């Protein structure tokens, strides 16, 4: 029975004190065998299972997750969504995702709170202006909404911004009106619930220990709940993807680093768009609760500690206070880190590999959240058909031998 | 934030240093003969272990000298610092804190505050 959410069900449950909401998904024990096992119960992994079941008719699927759903980078990012990437290949991938975002709440009948409040990328010097204007033009050629804002137009949109009296003055910005934010947990929960309804086993507290292969073919996954056989395995474990790949003898071009974010005390609405600056390294949006959601940078060294260095926070807070002097006396409530897997060209890998039946969706680095539905959609296609979808064909592993990289360091926003 | 014991200057704040990635990476011999794949691996692929990691640092805002370091990437604990011409310390001389690929060490990861 499909769980429906409506204004009536909310009213009904409100009268009962919200005690009778049904469980959103089952908590099954793993079976002996699955057609497909997805390792990683974040948005990308759960979405992959959802699209495998919905669009490719596969039913015998499991998603295994070491902790709880969306407890990794899905619950740790700054929820920014945009598709203003430079190269055609990336533009198509992120735009595919943005189009899915626009209909996701309806499709899942679950409010992912997708808010198209616009995303601004600031230019602080002559080179930024050239680079950003070039990207705006490239976006327009790919049919992506993107425009150049003058300093005066920025001031009109974000009156609290200090554009002149700072070390790197604000000279202009790109602006994508269809960009915005979404509720990150809701994406994982929505996909999990609808996948579960189609028979996908979502198994939490089940840690993947080893990917087992035999004669160049996948056998299954050794987990904390025993060995599970599978025809196909998709690894979507963000920062830990490289470590898992090693267990199957595969070396991936990934480096894992902590990426930090922080959240302020809640205040009244003050900023109604998303403002990003990669030059001074601060980006900010305001959540519906009123907290400022602030993205910081990555540490300059490999690490799996979900914490990050204090110097990185210092740098971001410094830039924040310069750009928005009005925030100078605010208190920060929380700080955290997530482990991101960074690819040499700042583009993801959505690809099969030398081992038959083993697939990777990784390398999203500092900007994977925006791609959640699109990445899941094309990864499901790749797993089901054993070949890449047209949209992700450039994001293969072979590019690190051929040299046909998709260099998105400019558009990736967080310099790595 | 780490305190790094520069072998030339003594203990200094990590923000004075820059990380140079994996140490002891050897450029393959006969680059004219080897295939694209092997060359691509040399150019793009570096070790990324959760646990014991051999890496290079440079004291950018100090003596500007390079040196090597063994660090546990699951805890950020620095286990050994040695000069660039010194021999690579053996892997089995360090304790591995990570039992499974995504496992957490008992202490020192960012998540330890939620553990008892």
């Amino acid at each position: 029975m499909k769980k429906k959410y409506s204004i009536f069900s909310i009213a009904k449950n409100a009268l009962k004190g919200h005690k009778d909401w049904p469980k959103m998904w089952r908590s099954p024990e793993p079976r002996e065998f699955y057609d497909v096992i997805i390792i990683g119960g974040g948005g990308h992994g759960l979405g992959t299972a959802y699209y495998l079941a919905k669009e490719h008719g596969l039913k015998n699927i499991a998603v295994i997750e070491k902790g709880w759903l969306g407890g990794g980078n899905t619950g740790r990012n700054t929820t920014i969504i945009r598709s203003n990437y430079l190269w055609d290949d990336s533009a198509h991938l992120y735009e595919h995702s943005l189009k899915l975002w626009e209909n996701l709440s309806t499709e899942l009948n679950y409010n992912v709170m997708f808010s198209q409040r616009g995303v601004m990328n600031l230019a602080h010097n002559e080179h930024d202006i050239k680079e950003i204007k070039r990207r705006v033009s490239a976006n327009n050629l790919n049919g992506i909404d993107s425009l150049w804002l003058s300093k005066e137009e920025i001031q009109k949109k974000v009156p609290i911004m200090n554009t002149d009296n700072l070390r790197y003055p604000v000279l202009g910005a790109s602006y994508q009106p269809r960009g915005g934010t979404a509720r990150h947990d809701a994406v994982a929960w929505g996909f999990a619930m609808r996948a579960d309804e189609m028979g996908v086993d979502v198994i939490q507290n089940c840690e993947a220990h080893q990917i087992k292969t035999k004669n160049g073919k996948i056998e299954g996954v050794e987990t904390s709940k025993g060995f599970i056989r599978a025809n196909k395995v998709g690894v979507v474990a963000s920062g830990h993807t490289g470590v898992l790949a090693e267990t199957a003898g595969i070396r991936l071009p990934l480096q894992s680093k902590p990426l930090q974010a922080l959240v302020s005390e809640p205040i009244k609405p003050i900023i109604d768009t998303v403002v990003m600056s990669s030059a001074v390294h601060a980006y900010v949006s305001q959540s519906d609760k009123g907290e400022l959601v602030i993205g910081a940078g990555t540490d300059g060294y490999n690490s799996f500690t979900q914490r990050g260095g204090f110097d990185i926070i210092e740098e971001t807070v410094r830039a924040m206070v310069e750009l928005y002097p009005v925030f100078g006396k605010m208190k920060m409530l929380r700080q955290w880190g997530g482990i991101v897997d960074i690819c040499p060209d700042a583009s993801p890998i959505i690809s099969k590999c030398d081992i038959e039946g083993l697939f990777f969706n990784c390398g999203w680095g500092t900007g994977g959240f925006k791609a959640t539905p699109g990445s899941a959609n094309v990864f499901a296609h790749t797993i089901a058909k054993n070949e890449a979808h047209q949209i992700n064909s450039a994001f293969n592993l072979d590019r690190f031998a051929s040299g046909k990289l998709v260099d998105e360091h400019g558009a990736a926003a967080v310099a790595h | 934030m780490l305190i790094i014991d520069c072998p030339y200057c003594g203990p200094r704040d990590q923000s004075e240093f820059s990380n140079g990635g994996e140490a002891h990476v050897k450029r393959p011999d006969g680059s004219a003969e080897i295939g694209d794949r092997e060359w691509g691996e040399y150019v793009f692929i570096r070790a990324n272990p959760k646990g014991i990691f051999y890496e290079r640092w440079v004291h950018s805002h100090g003596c500007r000298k390079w040196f090597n370091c063994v660090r546990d990437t699951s805890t950020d604990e620095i286990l050994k610092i040695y000069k660039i011409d010194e021999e690579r310390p053996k892997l089995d001389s360090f304790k591995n804190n990570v039992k499974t690929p995504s496992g957490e060490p008992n202490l020192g990861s960012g998540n330890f505050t939620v553990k008892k």
Side-chain angles (χ1 to χ4, degrees), chain A residues 207 240 302-304 306 354, chain B residues 37 50 71 73 100 111:
Chain A
E207 181 186 357
H240 283 84
N302 290 13
S303 176
F304 289 81
Q306 288 178 317
D354 288 345
Chain B
R37 193 158 168 164
K50 182 171 185 172
R71 187 170 51 94
T73 60
T100 56
N111 283 335

Side-chain angles (χ1 to χ4, degrees), chain A residues 96-383:
Chain A
H96 177 56
S97 190
L98 183 51
K99 288 205 172 110
L100 290 171
W101 274 114
E102 287 176 322
N103 195 36
L104 199 61
S105 291
T106 314
E107 168 156 358
L108 300 175
N109 182 27
Y110 194 72
N111 190 0
V112 299
M113 293 163 76
F114 181 45
S115 155
Q116 292 181 296
R117 58 183 71 181
V119 175
M120 215 182 266
N121 290 80
L122 301 181
H124 296 269
N125 55 47
E126 199 56 39
H127 175 76
D128 277 0
I129 295 177
K130 285 181 182 158
E131 173 72 28
I132 289 177
K133 280 190 171 169
R134 178 190 179 202
R135 205 177 320 143
V136 167
S137 305
N139 293 158
N140 292 338
L141 288 172
N142 274 316
I144 293 167
D145 60 322
S146 188
L147 44 121
W148 170 260
L149 297 184
S150 67
K151 191 175 84 182
E152 291 69 32
E153 289 168 305
I154 297 172
Q155 282 164 336
K156 227 179 263 174
K157 279 198 190 301
V158 189
I160 56 167
M161 194 190 295
N162 169 24
T163 49
D164 298 298
N165 186 23
L166 70 171
R167 185 173 174 193
Y168 300 106
V170 176
L171 304 173
S174 71
Y175 184 63
Q176 185 177 21
R178 282 161 66 240
T181 60
R183 171 82 199 276
H184 45 14
D185 302 312
V187 182
W189 298 338
F191 274 134
M193 175 174 62
R194 298 308 174 202
D196 176 81
E197 276 171 6
M198 290 185 283
V200 172
D201 280 357
V202 179
I203 306 162
Q204 299 179 78
N205 299 312
C206 179
E207 181 186 357
H209 288 174
Q210 195 186 0
I211 297 167
K212 292 223 161 169
T213 63
K214 200 176 178 183
N215 304 328
K217 231 184 139 215
I218 196 85
E219 270 199 310
V221 183
E222 193 67 67
T223 75
S224 56
K225 297 194 174 192
F227 180 66
I228 314 174
R229 283 188 302 120
N231 274 344
K232 292 176 179 179
V233 172
V235 188
V236 206
S238 68
H240 283 84
T241 306
V243 187
L244 281 166
E246 289 273 338
T247 69
I250 291 188
R251 296 183 81 207
L252 294 174
L254 300 174
Q255 298 282 285
S256 298
K257 293 175 185 198
L259 174 66
Q260 292 181 74
L262 52 159
V263 154
S264 75
E265 57 190 335
I267 52 170
K268 286 185 178 178
I270 192 161
I271 185 163
D272 64 358
T273 184
V274 182
V275 186
M276 315 181 69
S277 164
S278 32
V280 298
H281 215 296
Y283 47 101
V284 64
S285 65
Q286 191 170 15
S287 75
D288 292 353
K289 277 190 283 184
E291 302 157 324
L292 297 176
V293 183
I294 300 166
T298 51
D299 282 325
Y301 48 89
N302 290 13
S303 176
F304 289 81
T305 59
Q306 288 178 317
R307 170 177 59 202
F310 188 72
D311 51 324
I312 303 287
I313 298 234
E314 235 177 345
E315 190 188 316
T316 294
V317 170
R318 192 191 303 142
M320 282 294 296
V321 172
E322 257 204 325
L323 267 177
Y324 312 97
V326 68
F327 294 156
K329 288 187 177 168
M330 279 184 80
K331 295 183 184 76
M332 293 298 141
L333 278 190
R334 297 188 298 279
Q335 167 274 347
W336 63 91
I339 306 305
V340 298
D341 46 338
I342 294 171
C343 239
D345 57 356
S347 281
I349 297 166
I350 313 170
S351 178
K352 52 184 179 182
C353 69
D354 288 345
I355 291 167
E356 197 187 324
L358 181 59
F359 302 84
F360 291 100
N361 184 354
C362 57
W364 289 98
T366 55
F369 178 73
K370 65 176 83 69
T372 304
S375 141
N377 186 266
V378 295
F379 192 45
H381 181 282
T382 308
I383 292 175

Side-chain angles (χ1 to χ4, degrees), chain B:
Chain B
M1 195 176 284
L2 312 173
I3 301 290
I4 298 177
D5 196 359
C6 171
Y8 305 97
C9 309
R12 298 291 178 87
D13 191 285
Q14 164 249 312
S15 59
E16 291 187 15
F17 298 82
S18 307
N19 185 276
E22 187 186 3
H24 307 291
V25 177
K26 192 177 168 291
R27 183 187 167 109
D29 293 327
S31 53
E33 284 87 46
I34 61 170
D36 287 349
R37 193 158 168 164
E38 201 181 327
W39 184 249
E41 280 185 17
Y42 164 66
V43 174
F44 295 117
I45 298 186
R46 293 289 178 271
N48 185 30
K50 182 171 185 172
I52 315 296
F53 185 45
Y54 294 79
E55 64 184 353
R56 304 179 302 171
W57 287 89
V58 56
H59 196 177
S60 327
H61 303 286
C63 63
R64 302 184 61 196
K65 286 191 175 116
W66 286 87
F67 56 92
N68 288 337
C69 171
V70 183
R71 187 170 51 94
D72 186 334
T73 60
S74 69
T75 60
D76 281 345
E77 187 187 357
I78 292 174
L79 302 165
K80 192 171 174 67
I81 284 175
Y82 55 106
K83 289 184 181 167
I84 213 97
D85 57 350
E86 284 177 55
E87 206 173 311
R88 172 191 170 118
K90 286 204 173 71
L91 186 63
D92 55 18
S93 56
F94 304 104
K95 189 176 157 248
N96 185 7
N97 283 308
V98 186
K99 305 280 179 273
T100 56
S102 57
E104 294 290 332
N106 290 331
L107 267 184
S109 102
N111 283 335
F112 73 96
T113 46
V114 297
K115 283 184 183 169
K116 280 271 156 66

Side-chain angles (χ1 to χ4, degrees), chain A residues 17-73:
Chain A
H18 292 294
K19 284 175 189 150
D20 293 336
W21 286 105
K23 283 228 162 84
M24 286 171 70
W25 50 79
R26 300 164 293 130
S27 296
E29 283 303 307
R31 284 177 227 159
E32 269 176 29
F33 168 81
Y34 289 96
D35 290 328
V36 183
I37 296 177
I38 303 294
I39 303 176
H44 290 240
L46 293 162
T48 304
Y50 169 81
Y51 288 115
L52 275 171
K54 183 176 167 250
E55 294 186 353
H56 303 282
L58 287 161
K59 297 295 172 214
N60 190 21
I61 305 169
V63 178
I64 60 173
E65 163 58 45
K66 187 222 168 194
W68 62 96
L69 298 188
N73 291 351

